[in-house]
């Protein structure tokens, strides 16, 4: 009979040197100009950063000279859905989870997590999944059972009955267990927060407003009542959890902010008053520019979009650039999230969100900081900057991403370190020419 050690299904972590010294051009995530230097990694943390001559060659350190390469903090995607495929048809969003078991969803999500990490994304914020599948994936990654980025997960997003995350249209006989989390009334939303916190949620996701089709000034409708939003935020904050909200804009967005959410997603339709409210409240803005653009890269019939909804999408496409300009000018904190899983492939399209942030008025350096330091602060991660004491989540890039962001879309040009370990099948050090 085999002994217990031979039955283990968890591979042993590859050996790594106690110290790794990386020499490259360093973009540290603070917005400072790139500089030629060195980073010393000890265990899972950054031990030192500075000029190569100042750091020297510490005893026992494996030295990696990466001349011509750029070292950046691990990228972070602040808005993903690892439980979803990114298929181009909107029907797939509804149907695929009706046809898959939760274990199947989790196993597929593990593949998406690996693809995400391969593209230099060392952390993500998952914005809704059935049951607790992504909470469990988070824990499996943290335990070393599977490889993937660090995950902050909300569990299920909270929505009113029949709202954005509890959409109608199923047969009367159809019932789903844990697919969504519909709540009603202030006490209902308090209970919803408690249930997701009990399951292990890192933050709470609300769906406070959705699209309306009334034209300019009436493109958005508030789905949750103001007291419901306030109750959910109060309960989450009492538990030390931040609250993010799916929003579309206008007065519904303003009421969402007034009631206490910490971060707004999408939020395409604004005016100066709404943006001023975001500044006063310290609300973080995740514009998710790419998912909106994807609507115009995929045939409308394939998407199954009605003419009236298409009119809304066209209006939001224009409005999002106006909102970006207002937010940038006013000093709103802008984070970076793709909505991967909804018409956006996991990992491979991330660089395009950065490029669209640049199109929206950020410099390449500001976009990269949004993707690293700003997102790390939003997710409350001890990462996002190349600074002593922080986690050694790093990406060694073959080239200069500030000159060409598309480099970040090619895994062959990226060597990814998470917590001091090089990632990828059998990787123990980056492959350099």
């Amino acid at each position: 009979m085999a002994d217990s050690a031979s039955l283990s299904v968890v591979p042993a972590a590859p050996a790594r040197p106690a110290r790794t010294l990386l020499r490259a051009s360093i973009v540290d995530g603070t917005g400072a100009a790139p500089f030629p230097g060195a980073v010393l990694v000890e265990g899972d943390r950054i031990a030192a950063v500075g000029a190569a001559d100042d750091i020297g060659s510490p005893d026992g350190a494996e030295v990696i000279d990466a001349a011509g390469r750029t070292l950046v903090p691990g990228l972070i995607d602040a808005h993903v859905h690892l439980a979803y495929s990114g298929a181009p048809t909107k029907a797939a969003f509804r149907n695929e989870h009706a046809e898959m078991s939760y274990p199947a969803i989790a196993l597929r999500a593990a593949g998406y997590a690996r693809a995400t990490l391969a593209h230099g994304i060392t952390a993500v914020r998952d914005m809704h999944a059935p049951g607790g599948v992504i909470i469990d994936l988070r824990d499996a990654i943290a335990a070393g059972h599977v490889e993937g980025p660090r995950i902050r997960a909300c569990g299920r997003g909270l929505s009113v009955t029949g709202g954005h995350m509890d959409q109608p249209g199923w047969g009367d006989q159809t019932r789903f267990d844990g697919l969504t989390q519909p709540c009603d009334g202030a006490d209902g939303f308090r209970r919803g927060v408690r249930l997701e916190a009990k399951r292990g949620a890192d933050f709470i996701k609300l769906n406070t407003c959705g699209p309306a089709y009334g034209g300019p000034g009436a493109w958005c409708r508030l789905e949750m009542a103001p007291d419901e939003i306030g109750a959910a935020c109060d309960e989450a904050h009492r538990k030390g959890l931040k609250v993010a909200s799916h929003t579309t804009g206008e007065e519904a967005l303003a009421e969402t902010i007034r009631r206490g959410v910490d971060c707004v997603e999408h939020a395409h339709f604004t005016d100066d008053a709404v943006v001023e409210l975001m500044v006063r409240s310290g609300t973080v803005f995740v514009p998710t520019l790419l998912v909106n653009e994807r609507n115009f890269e995929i045939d409308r019939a394939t998407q199954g979009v009605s003419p009236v909804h298409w009119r809304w999408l066209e209006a939001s496409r224009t409005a999002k650039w106006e909102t970006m300009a207002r937010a940038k000018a006013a000093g709103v904190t802008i984070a970076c999230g793709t909505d991967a899983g909804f018409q956006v492939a996991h990992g491979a399209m991330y660089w395009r969100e950065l490029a669209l942030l640049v199109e929206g008025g950020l410099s390449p350096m500001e976009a990269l900081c949004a993707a690293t330091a700003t997102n790390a602060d939003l997710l409350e991660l001890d990462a996002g900057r190349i600074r002593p004491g922080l986690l050694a989540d790093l990406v060694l890039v073959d080239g200069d991403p500030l000159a060409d962001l598309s480099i970040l879309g090619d895994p062959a040009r990226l060597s990814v370190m998470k917590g001091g370990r090089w990632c990828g099948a059998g990787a123990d050090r980056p492959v350099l020419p």
Side-chain angles (χ1 to χ4, degrees):
M1 181 174 177
D3 61 29
S4 60
S6 67
L7 298 177
S8 174
V9 296
V10 180
R16 63 178 176 187
R19 291 175 163 183
T20 301
L21 183 70
L22 295 160
R23 295 172 179 156
S25 175
I26 298 171
V27 177
D28 66 7
T30 69
F35 63 94
V39 174
L40 178 64
V41 174
E42 292 185 353
D44 66 348
R45 298 272 167 174
I46 297 168
V49 181
D53 289 344
D54 292 342
I55 294 178
S57 298
D59 291 343
E62 178 186 30
V63 179
I64 297 174
D65 276 310
R69 302 203 174 204
T70 306
L71 190 68
V72 303
L75 305 173
I76 301 170
D77 193 333
H79 193 130
V80 305
H81 296 274
L82 288 169
Y84 293 81
S85 67
T89 62
K90 293 189 180 300
F93 305 160
R94 289 174 59 87
N95 298 344
E96 62 181 12
H97 286 175
E99 298 170 352
M100 298 175 69
S101 68
Y102 284 1
I105 294 170
L107 289 167
R108 187 180 69 173
Y112 294 150
R114 286 193 298 272
T116 297
L117 185 62
H119 284 85
I121 302 164
T122 55
V124 299
R125 187 177 59 150
D126 192 89
M127 299 297 285
H128 168 80
V133 295
I134 303 304
I135 291 173
D136 290 343
L137 177 60
R138 173 199 69 194
D139 295 345
I141 290 170
H145 300 323
V146 295
E147 190 173 63
R150 305 178 195 279
I151 296 176
R152 293 286 190 258
C154 71
R156 296 169 295 180
L158 309 187
S159 176
V160 296
T161 297
H164 176 71
M165 294 302 294
D166 186 51
Q167 294 181 8
W170 301 103
D172 292 342
Q173 75 283 2
T174 305
R175 298 289 183 272
F176 295 105
D177 181 18
L179 193 65
T180 62
Q181 177 66 299
C183 307
D184 294 293
D187 286 344
F189 276 93
R190 288 190 187 94
R191 175 171 170 75
V193 169
R194 291 170 183 172
L195 286 172
E196 296 312 308
K198 177 182 177 180
R199 187 61 177 85
D202 297 301
F203 67 99
I204 297 300
K205 163 80 176 295
L206 303 179
N207 297 279
T208 59
C209 67
Y213 306 111
W219 290 118
C220 311
R221 62 185 173 86
L222 190 62
E223 287 189 347
M224 289 176 62
D227 67 323
E228 292 175 324
I229 302 171
C233 290
D234 288 347
E235 190 63 34
H237 292 156
R238 186 177 296 114
K239 293 180 176 298
L241 302 177
K242 288 183 177 179
V243 182
S245 177
H246 169 103
T247 62
T248 51
E250 297 176 341
E251 178 57 26
L253 168 60
E255 190 62 24
T256 295
I257 296 169
R258 291 187 196 107
R259 295 290 170 159
V261 300
D262 303 288
C263 180
V264 293
E265 319 291 311
H266 319 304
H268 296 325
F269 296 92
T270 63
D271 55 25
D272 290 339
V274 170
V275 170
E276 182 182 349
L277 180 61
M278 293 171 71
V279 173
R280 290 202 311 268
S281 302
T283 310
V284 179
F285 173 39
V286 185
T288 63
L289 303 169
L290 177 57
V291 70
N292 179 269
E293 287 298 307
R294 288 288 288 157
N295 287 287
F296 303 95
E297 298 174 356
I298 302 169
D299 178 77
R300 190 174 84 181
T302 299
Q303 297 180 69
V305 178
S306 68
V308 68
H309 194 184
W310 188 257
R311 178 170 169 256
W312 185 92
L313 288 170
E314 289 179 324
S316 66
R317 189 185 198 186
T318 299
K320 74 171 185 283
W321 298 121
E322 296 170 352
T323 291
M324 276 293 296
R326 290 190 182 102
K328 175 68 163 59
V332 171
T333 299
I334 299 173
C336 181
T338 62
D339 218 349
F342 288 104
Q343 297 181 284
V344 175
H346 293 281
M349 290 185 175
Y350 183 81
W351 74 271
R352 292 191 56 195
E353 186 71 30
L354 294 176
L356 289 169
L357 287 174
V358 173
E359 187 175 340
L362 274 60
S363 70
M365 179 66 83
E366 288 171 331
L368 192 59
C369 289
T372 54
T374 300
N375 278 357
D377 293 344
L378 176 61
L379 274 62
E380 299 180 318
L381 283 170
D382 210 9
R385 299 170 179 85
I386 302 179
R387 178 181 293 170
L390 297 185
L391 288 165
D393 291 358
L394 305 167
V395 183
L396 192 58
V397 184
D398 178 15
D400 180 5
L402 295 175
D404 181 4
L405 288 167
S406 70
I407 294 172
L408 299 174
D410 183 359
R413 301 184 69 174
L414 309 176
S415 297
V416 184
M417 175 182 279
K418 177 188 160 198
R421 295 186 185 277
W422 297 108
C423 303
D428 59 3
R429 62 177 285 127
V431 177
L432 302 176

